[in-house]
Amino acid sequence: MILIYFRLEKSTCVTQRWASADRNIVVHGGYPVAFQVYNHCRSKDYILSDMMTFFAERHGHNIQLIEVKTTEKNA
């Protein structure tokens, strides 16, 4: 199973998503990262579904999404 870590940050207009198999990249920044910007009306379920499709196309269906909270950036 491939673990994919992701972080969502919402602003008034958009939701930004960072995702990577490397947790440190998601927490602290770096490369390679899958970055996507979504319209503010997109639900979290939509974003998760889109992310599952994106990574399933690249790594197969044996993946698990793990959310990294923004508070972990300060730890």
Side-chain angles (χ1 to χ4, degrees):
M1 176 160 299
I2 297 173
L3 302 177
I4 302 295
Y5 299 92
F6 72 95
R7 183 176 91 228
L8 300 176
E9 288 189 12
K10 288 188 166 218
S11 70
T12 55
C13 300
V14 298
T15 299
Q16 299 174 336
R17 183 214 66 204
W18 289 265
S20 176
D22 185 336
R23 183 184 174 281
N24 286 327
I25 289 173
V26 174
V27 173
H28 301 291
Y31 184 82
V33 67
F35 177 74
Q36 183 73 34
V37 177
Y38 295 91
N39 185 310
H40 72 280
C41 64
R42 295 292 187 186
S43 68
K44 184 175 181 177
D45 289 337
Y46 175 87
I47 294 170
L48 294 177
S49 174
D50 186 51
M51 189 171 18
M52 282 292 281
T53 301
F54 177 84
F55 283 103
E57 290 173 353
R58 285 149 184 78
H59 301 292
H61 293 280
N62 194 21
I63 60 174
Q64 179 181 356
L65 299 177
I66 300 173
E67 185 169 9
V68 175
K69 300 292 184 183
T70 55
T71 55
E72 293 180 46
K73 287 178 66 176
N74 301 327

